[in-house]
């Protein structure tokens, strides 16, 4: 029976451990002895609490300065001095607290990137004759599941590929955008970076994020280069067992490609292989990131970059800007050509900023119009360019002696040739068809649409060549060769700019009596680096300089690249956050003096306005993509989650979104659903507000308007459904015309609503996404919708007027007024056929990057109230909102019950 006694003792210990995991307050009342601290004689004059905190990490090679906070038993924050004590390898927290006595309790919280936040209750007591009060606590930090995944997969890939002996290492992953088991996945990126021992960094540009939907699988691909040879290890959907290991070289055989690589990697196979090969031949890191945003490297992405370089060479932006979002060009594209994604990404010409307008016209998708418009003079220049794919293919064949698309090897060699042309002769890849000056306001409005007080009063017509070529006032525009001098900074010199900027910031804060700590969660560095160039050179390496000094990087939500145009100024906002209070010091690079200088005001103030409210990673990065935080971008968050939850894809389907309202939310919607004009999954048809909100006699008010058309399309069957989406915006007292007064408060409320917390007394309307019309469509219907051209009416009226039953071969397809449900089986916009969600459908609405161990009870959730769309908050909860505490109790009782069974059947407690 002795064995059963041991079992019962172990069961009891497990009960304590399990309960402690639920509530640190139950098991973490650390004693008040000075055990961790060597008390110095200099302390004897103080009668204040001194708490020693030892922090150990699950991965012993992690060297992280943790964030530590101290509160009293009433949860009031306490200011303290934090120093590292070499004697016991821990942190010494000194502070004053009135009325402290033996047994006074303080709460210590420790937070570190990639780890579960922990809280312990520490009791302080006097030790002998020493008047000070001492306490101590040891935190054994546990890695989050996503951080472990990133580290484990990197370690396995390293074992397979031997990073240290390679010339270069690359990682391409969908982590960072996708969700896994109900959480955001930036911790996977943190794990990759920390496990690679500096071989993979943001600054080196060898960590690429493949743009996907938040509901897509979390995949990882590691590639090593040895000379001209590329070898890859691919891991699918978070599995630790590689789905493929083998060649990615351009010399691969067609059999290897079709029989092995494509089946293993799926529909994104060309994306991984093309990005790896372009990286291997030295494609600029910022262009690589743009290609990863598009999904692959191809003639369209390279030719789009050639168009951009040609535009900047002959028709530079100067001081001209458009209205509303102050972008330098308005882009009129024809979606479906990969070049459109270049303009959205590298020119910061996003649809949500009304900078990109695009729908199918009679022109081919390789044509693009660029309008350099002055809101001051009400005059502009229109430049129309294209790349001639057939001419380029012929040029390649003439030089190389074989066809570009005769197989995977020839296509990869074609891409390599395109990269060389982009680097040495970009103008050879594009043609300037027309360039007109004297574009007037009437013409500008006709092509791009027009808003007055945020209400669209004139719809866009896109690249209407019949209209353009029959405008007598347009005159030929003279090209001016700017003869830019290409920069020659080395990677080390570019990194030093980041180091110098960080050190300047430390000095500026020091002059205010503030010491900046490394790895400080409360210090946010917002920057145009990574988008903006210096004399044509990518500025990514400045990120590594910032990280070296301050420990700031994107996977920690502390280094935040703000979407900027390639020609924008290089700047850094160093923002220290204390609750809703912020201190910002801005440093910019003066291209004339070639020195860093201090600016008078922040460059990214609207992004900084939301940082104190701890937005989830996907919301934060979506705002960064939009390049600022604003109320207009918020509906995109709710619509994206509603689409994933309420309009799931069937096998073989993809999403296509047709925007009709075209305002800021298009950017966040595109970002979270992985849509873009270059992939032919986003179209932009600017209707007037009256047209967009009126069909079938319906005229929604401003708080309840139509957002656009969601299409679920199956290319193989040539059928799908079209749904008109309507959003009822969250509303609260004080959200009227004077909303700017309480803008920060509104951001806090919006973020909380998104996380499922509706405990704001002012809010009396939560966001609801509904469908007023869902209709089945065939290929002809799809083409008509995407064209934006109708014999009468508009796209809303056309969709609403489609029959509810579509005759198809072998039967009929029915569409009703609500979502056609069904489980999700395909979340890729390219139709990968993989599971869309990491967990249940509802997981996509959860946005917490890591679990947290605290004594705080989880907040209330948005309940089921019959609304069409509500999200629930993630926290220390299990399936179906069952608290982990419940699981712990059940687990404890189960273990005790098992031990008890052994006791009753085996005899005496301590006998045999």
């Amino acid at each position: 029976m002795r064995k059963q006694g041991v079992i019962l003792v172990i069961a009891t210990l497990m009960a304590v451990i399990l309960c402690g995991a639920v509530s640190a307050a139950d098991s973490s009342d650390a004693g008040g002895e000075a055990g961790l601290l060597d008390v110095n004689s200099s302390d004897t004059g103080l009668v204040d609490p001194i708490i020693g905190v030892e922090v150990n990490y699950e991965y012993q090679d992690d060297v992280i300065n943790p964030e530590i906070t101290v509160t009293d038993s009433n949860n009031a924050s306490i200011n303290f001095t934090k120093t590292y004590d070499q004697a016991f390898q821990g942190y010494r927290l000194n502070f004053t607290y009135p009325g402290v006595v033996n047994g006074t309790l303080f709460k210590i919280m420790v937070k570190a990137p990639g780890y579960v936040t922990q809280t312990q209750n520490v009791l302080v007591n006097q030790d002998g004759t020493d008047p000070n009060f001492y306490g101590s606590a040891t935190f054994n930090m546990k890695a989050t599941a996503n951080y472990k995944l990133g580290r484990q997969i990197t370690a396995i890939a390293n074992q397979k590929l031997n990073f240290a002996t390679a010339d270069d290492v690359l990682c391409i992953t969908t982590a960072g955008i996708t969700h896994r088991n109900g959480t955001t996945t930036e911790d996977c990126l943190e794990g990759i970076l920390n496990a690679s021992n500096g071989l993979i960094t943001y600054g080196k540009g060898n960590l690429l994020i493949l743009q996907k939907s938040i509901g897509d699988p979390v995949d990882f691909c590691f590639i090593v280069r040895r000379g001209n040879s590329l070898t890859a290890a691919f891991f699918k959907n978070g599995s630790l067992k590689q789905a493929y290991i083998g060649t990615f070289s351009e010399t691969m055989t067609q059999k290897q490609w079709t029989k092995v690589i494509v089946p293993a990697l799926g529909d994104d196979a060309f994306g991984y292989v093309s990005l790896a090969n372009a990286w291997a031949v030295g494609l600029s890191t910022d262009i690589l990131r743009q290609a990863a945003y598009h999904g692959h490297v191809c003639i369209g992405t390279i030719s789009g970059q050639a168009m951009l370089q040609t535009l900047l060479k002959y028709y530079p932006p100067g001081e001209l800007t458009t209205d509303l979002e102050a972008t330098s060009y308005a882009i009129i594209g024809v979606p479906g050509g990969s070049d459109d994604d270049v303009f959205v990404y590298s020119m910061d010409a996003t649809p949500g900023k009304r900078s990109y307008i695009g729908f199918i016209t009679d022109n081919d998708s390789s044509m693009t119009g660029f309008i350099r418009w002055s809101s001051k003079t009400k005059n502009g220049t229109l430049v129309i360019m294209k790349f001639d794919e057939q001419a380029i293919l012929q040029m390649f064949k003439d030089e190389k002696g074989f066809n570009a698309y005769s197989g995977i090897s020839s296509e990869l060699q074609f891409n390599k040739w395109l990269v060389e042309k982009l680097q040495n002769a970009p103008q050879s890849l594009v043609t300037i068809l027309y360039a007109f000056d004297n574009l007037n306001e009437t013409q500008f409005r006709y092509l791009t649409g027009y808003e007055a007080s945020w209400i669209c009063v004139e719809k866009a017509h896109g690249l209407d060549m019949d209209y353009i070529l029959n405008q007598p006032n347009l005159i030929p525009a003279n090209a001016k060769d700017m003869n830019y001098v290409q920069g020659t900074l080395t990677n080390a010199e570019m990194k030093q700019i980041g180091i110098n900027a960080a050190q300047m910031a430390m000095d500026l804060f020091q002059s205010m009596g503030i010491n900046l700590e490394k790895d400080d969660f409360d210090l946010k560095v917002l920057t145009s680096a990574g988008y903006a160039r210096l004399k044509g050179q990518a500025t990514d390496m400045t990120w590594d300089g910032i990280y070296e000094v301050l420990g700031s990087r994107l996977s920690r939500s502390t280094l935040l690249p703000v979407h900027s145009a390639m020609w924008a100024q290089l700047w850094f906002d160093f923002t220290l956050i204390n609750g809703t209070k912020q201190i910002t010091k801005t440093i910019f690079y003066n291209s004339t003096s070639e020195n860093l200088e201090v600016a008078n005001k922040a460059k990214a103030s609207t992004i900084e306005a939301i940082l104190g409210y701890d937005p989830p990673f996907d919301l934060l990065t979506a705002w960064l993509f939009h390049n600022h935080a604003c109320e207009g971008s918020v509906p995109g968050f709710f619509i994206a989650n509603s689409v994933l939850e309420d309009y799931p894809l069937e096998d073989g389907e993809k999403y296509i979104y047709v925007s009709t309202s075209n305002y800021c939310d298009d950017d966040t919607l595109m970002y979270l659903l992985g849509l873009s004009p270059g992939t032919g999954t986003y179209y932009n048809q600017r209707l007037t507000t009256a047209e967009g909100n009126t069909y079938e006699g319906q005229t929604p008010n401003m708080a309840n308007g139509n957002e656009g058309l969601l299409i679920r399309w199956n290319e193989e069957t040539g059928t799908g459904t079209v749904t008109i989406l309507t959003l009822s915006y969250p509303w609260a007292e004080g959200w009227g015309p004077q909303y700017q007064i309480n803008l920060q408060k509104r951001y806090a409320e919006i973020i909380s609503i998104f996380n499922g917390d509706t405990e704001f007394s002012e809010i009396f309307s939560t966001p609801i996404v509904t469908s007023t019309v869902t209709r089945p469509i065939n290929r002809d219907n799809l083409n008509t919708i995407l064209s934006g051209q109708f014999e009468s009416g508009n796209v809303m009226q056309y969709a609403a007027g489609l029959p509810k039953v579509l005759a198809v071969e072998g039967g009929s397809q029915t569409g009703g007024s609500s979502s056609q449900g069904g489980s999700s089986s395909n979340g890729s916009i390219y139709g990968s056929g993989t599971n869309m969600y990491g967990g249940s459908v509802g997981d996509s609405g959860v946005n917490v990057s890591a679990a947290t161990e605290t004594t705080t009870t989880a907040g209330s959730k948005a309940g089921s109230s019959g609304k069409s769309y509500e999200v629930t908050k993630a926290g220390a909860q299990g399936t179906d909102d069952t608290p982990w505490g419940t699981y712990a109790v059940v687990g404890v009782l189960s273990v005790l019950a098992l031990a008890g069974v052994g006791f009753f059947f085996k005899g005496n407690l301590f006998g045999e």
Side-chain angles (χ1 to χ4, degrees), residues 284 286 485-487 533-538 566:
S284 179
D286 54 352
V485 177
Q486 182 73 17
R533 285 185 163 191
L534 282 184
K535 293 184 177 180
Q537 290 185 271
M566 191 178 281

Side-chain angles (χ1 to χ4, degrees), residues 293 340-351 356 563 625 677:
Y293 164 78
D340 289 61
D341 284 353
V342 172
F343 314 133
V344 168
Y345 186 95
S346 296
M347 299 178 73
D348 188 25
T350 61
Y356 176 89
H563 200 174
F625 177 74

Side-chain angles (χ1 to χ4, degrees), residues 46-371:
L46 301 174
V47 188
D48 294 315
I50 301 173
I51 298 177
V53 175
E54 181 182 353
V55 181
N56 303 311
Y57 295 104
E58 184 171 341
Y59 292 91
Q60 296 181 5
D61 59 341
D62 277 338
V63 180
I64 306 169
N65 178 25
E67 177 181 316
I68 301 177
T69 59
V70 180
T71 58
D72 64 15
S73 58
N74 296 317
N75 292 322
S77 296
I78 297 174
N79 293 325
F80 60 92
T81 300
K82 171 186 170 186
T83 55
Y84 190 78
D85 192 316
Q86 292 288 349
F88 72 96
Q89 300 292 294
Y91 298 92
R92 181 190 188 95
L93 312 182
N94 292 67
F95 55 94
T96 61
Y97 189 81
V100 62
V101 297
N102 284 336
T104 299
L105 181 146
F106 297 97
K107 297 179 181 180
I108 310 297
M109 185 175 72
V110 175
K111 181 179 179 181
Y115 284 86
V116 177
T117 298
Q118 292 186 18
T119 299
Q120 291 190 31
N121 294 334
V122 178
L123 305 176
V124 296
N125 290 285
Q126 291 178 318
D127 184 23
T129 59
D130 192 329
N132 294 294
F133 291 82
Y134 294 96
S136 63
T138 298
F139 288 81
N140 295 311
M141 303 294 284
K142 303 172 186 177
T144 66
N146 285 336
Y147 182 66
K148 284 184 180 180
L149 178 62
R151 289 204 61 135
Q152 289 171 343
I153 281 187
T154 305
I156 294 169
N158 192 7
Q159 291 173 357
K160 303 290 183 182
L161 302 176
N162 198 350
F163 295 169
T165 63
D167 296 328
D168 290 300
V169 183
L170 172 68
C171 177
I172 308 170
T173 179
T174 63
I177 294 175
T178 53
H179 287 191
R180 178 174 177 261
N181 295 330
T183 67
T184 56
T185 51
E186 67 273 21
D187 280 357
C188 291
L189 304 177
E190 184 74 9
I192 293 168
L193 294 165
N194 290 348
S196 67
N197 299 315
L199 294 177
I200 298 173
T201 73
Y202 281 114
K204 291 177 181 177
N206 57 353
L207 178 59
L208 297 178
I209 312 302
L210 198 64
Q211 182 75 14
K212 305 296 288 183
S213 158
I214 58 177
D216 277 310
V218 185
D219 298 336
F220 303 84
C221 189
F222 293 85
I223 303 100
V224 294
R225 182 184 67 82
R226 292 181 173 89
N228 294 324
S229 176
L230 298 180
T231 307
F234 178 75
F235 302 83
K236 193 170 187 63
N237 203 15
S239 172
L240 296 179
K241 181 177 177 58
Q242 74 271 8
Y244 172 78
I245 184 165
T247 184
F248 263 20
S249 301
E250 66 178 34
T251 55
M252 71 176 70
T253 67
Q254 192 64 28
K255 184 177 180 180
Q256 286 175 312
W257 172 247
T258 57
K259 299 295 185 180
V260 181
I261 298 177
V262 171
L265 273 67
D267 287 347
D268 290 321
F270 184 71
Y272 288 106
V273 169
S274 64
L275 286 166
N277 278 269
W279 161 78
V281 298
L283 183 61
S284 179
T285 53
D286 54 352
I287 297 178
L288 273 173
R289 280 199 311 280
Q290 180 271 308
Y293 164 78
H294 172 63
H296 57 260
V297 177
C298 63
I299 186 173
T301 54
I302 300 301
S303 296
Q305 291 290 343
M307 278 193 208
L308 174 53
Q309 292 190 25
T310 301
L311 181 71
L312 297 180
K313 182 178 177 66
Y314 296 114
Y315 303 97
E319 298 299 323
L320 303 177
T321 60
T322 59
D323 287 324
L324 294 174
E325 303 289 355
T327 51
S328 299
Y329 298 90
I331 311 299
I332 307 176
V334 182
S338 301
D339 56 318
D340 289 61
D341 284 353
V342 172
F343 314 133
V344 168
Y345 186 95
S346 296
M347 299 178 73
D348 188 25
T350 61
K353 292 192 287 293
R354 276 71 97 205
S355 298
Y356 176 89
I357 304 297
F359 51 85
I360 299 297
T361 62
D362 292 335
N363 310 294
D364 65 56
S365 62
S366 65
M367 285 182 62
T368 305
F370 305 88
I371 299 179

Side-chain angles (χ1 to χ4, degrees), residues 393-404 413-414 416-417 420:
L393 290 171
Q394 186 61 49
M395 191 191 316
F396 172 78
K397 184 177 182 180
D398 291 344
E399 291 187 23
K400 298 297 184 180
F402 57 91
N403 291 322
Q413 291 180 66
F414 177 51
K416 178 180 178 179
W417 178 83
E420 293 171 349

